[in-house]
Amino acid sequence: MARAAAVTPPTHLPAGAGAERSGAVLSRLQLLVTRKLDGLLQGDYAGLLPGPGSEAGESREYRPGDDVRRMDWPVTARTTMPHVRRTVADRELETWLAVDLSASLDFGTGQWLKRDVVVAAAAALTHLTVRGGNRIGAVVGTGAPVPARTGRWRGAPPATGPGTLLRLPARAGRKEAQGLLRAIAGAEIQPGRSDLGALVDMLNRPPRRRGVAVVISDFLAPPQQWGRPIRKLRVRHDVLAIEVVDPRELELPDVGVLPVVDPETGELHEVQTADPRLRRRYADAAAAQRAAIAAELRAAGAAHLRLRTDRDWLLDMVRFVAAQRHARTRGTTR
């Protein structure tokens, strides 16, 4: 199907207004995160997904859904019952974000732009990660793919150009984390779509010690482009995929003739939204597209969190954390 984002008009800001608005949005988001998420998670890890750890712990019987990579074969052989080896979480966790800022994300019809929700997710993850002295880094895509480059992000945001794939080194500390967020919030979205597969592959090269990898995108690129890189990433890391959705990407309103612009190509179309058959076909195609995205992420073994521009993204994150905690607790206690 045609991408749902192709029927969404982009938001254009005057020159200089984008950076000012990004700074205001980031300040608001950080206030929300600090007030509401601080203290949400207790224990060794202060993140949405606890790291897998590397120090061997006790063994327990295998339960459906356990990671087969942690099978304890010697205990399994002695007891003739499958066992998995529990691991003790490392005190220091390294988290990497893959942030997709393609042109389709510079749009929103709810309380937030999709771009704002991306920055919100990055702010929450950063805040929860650095609390325990952990390191966080990011790779950012802002348009059509070009060769990657490396940049420094402490202080002013680095300059970005069309199709930039920018790597922000993993560092610890609140000041460094603030610089990372300013770099992400201040990145200028360019026409075109980042190669999401290449963006995710930047987390695979060079190989890093086991940790947490988070991919934030609307995932409107074909699943065959990014599915395999996420599978490869999942072999070594816990992977969280945060999908950002706007309600107009799921269904069209009945507003008569609607001029729409493809934010990635600039093509202008007029759509007769009064036609109920067209609206139904659009909704069915959008539902099938989202189902395909969910199926690909599930097949890759990634945890999947969907955030919408017309919902309370913070509440959705809290519910996700609670569900993850419950699932892990149930899977590691007898």
Side-chain angles (χ1 to χ4, degrees), residues 33-329:
V33 167
T34 302
R35 284 183 174 179
K36 296 187 177 182
L37 284 186
D38 202 16
L40 173 64
L41 301 179
Q42 304 295 329
D44 292 336
Y45 278 110
L48 289 178
L49 286 176
S54 58
E55 183 180 348
E58 297 180 351
S59 294
R60 62 167 176 80
E61 289 185 10
Y62 172 86
R63 292 185 177 86
D66 285 340
D67 191 343
V68 295
R69 295 174 299 174
R70 300 195 182 125
M71 293 293 295
D72 191 335
W73 297 113
V75 175
T76 298
R78 289 197 304 269
T79 63
T80 69
M81 294 290 293
H83 279 67
V84 292
R85 172 72 69 176
R86 296 175 61 182
T87 53
V88 178
D90 299 322
R91 289 290 176 175
E92 186 178 87
L93 172 68
E94 185 168 285
T95 298
W96 278 88
L97 311 178
V99 182
D100 179 14
L101 290 177
S102 298
S104 63
L105 286 141
D106 204 10
F107 166 80
T109 62
Q111 303 174 21
W112 304 83
L113 295 178
K114 288 169 64 178
R115 174 197 178 114
D116 293 341
V117 178
V118 169
V119 176
L125 288 160
T126 300
H127 175 75
L128 294 171
T129 297
V130 301
R131 289 177 62 210
N134 301 316
R135 296 192 304 274
I136 187 166
V139 293
V140 185
T142 60
V146 297
R149 66 182 179 85
T150 302
R152 297 181 61 84
W153 47 266
R154 186 170 185 175
T160 58
T164 297
L165 293 179
L166 178 66
R167 188 190 303 274
L168 310 175
R171 295 170 180 161
R174 292 187 180 276
K175 289 185 178 180
E176 301 287 356
Q178 294 297 319
L180 180 142
L181 288 175
R182 285 195 297 271
I184 294 175
E188 182 181 352
I189 293 181
Q190 303 293 334
R193 166 161 292 278
S194 300
D195 185 335
L196 185 56
L199 189 66
V200 174
D201 262 338
M202 290 180 69
L203 300 185
N204 287 317
R205 300 189 300 267
R208 299 178 176 85
R209 75 178 205 173
R210 189 178 296 273
V212 175
V214 183
V215 183
I216 311 175
S217 175
D218 55 12
F219 291 95
L220 293 181
Q224 59 268 27
Q225 180 193 101
W226 47 262
R228 185 172 182 179
I230 290 182
R231 284 186 175 88
K232 183 179 178 182
L233 190 65
R234 180 65 182 87
V235 170
R236 188 170 182 82
H237 306 282
D238 278 356
V239 178
L240 169 61
I242 299 181
E243 179 190 5
V244 180
V245 181
D246 187 85
R248 291 296 173 262
E249 295 173 334
L250 303 178
E251 58 183 15
L252 287 174
D254 183 0
V255 293
V257 178
L258 177 67
V260 294
V261 178
D262 187 326
E264 296 181 3
T265 65
E267 295 182 4
L268 175 66
H269 302 275
E270 290 187 348
V271 180
Q272 178 52 268
T273 61
D275 185 352
R277 292 174 299 177
L278 182 144
R279 297 199 307 274
R280 184 171 58 254
R281 290 198 304 271
Y282 180 89
D284 291 344
Q289 182 185 43
R290 295 298 167 179
I293 293 171
E296 188 68 27
L297 292 173
R298 185 167 55 252
H304 183 196
L305 170 60
R306 179 173 292 169
L307 301 179
R308 292 175 53 126
T309 61
D310 61 340
R311 289 173 55 95
D312 185 342
W313 61 269
L314 188 59
L315 180 59
D316 288 340
M317 276 193 158
V318 170
R319 288 172 174 168
F320 176 81
V321 170
Q324 291 290 312
R325 285 275 175 162
H326 177 70
R328 285 178 178 270
T329 301

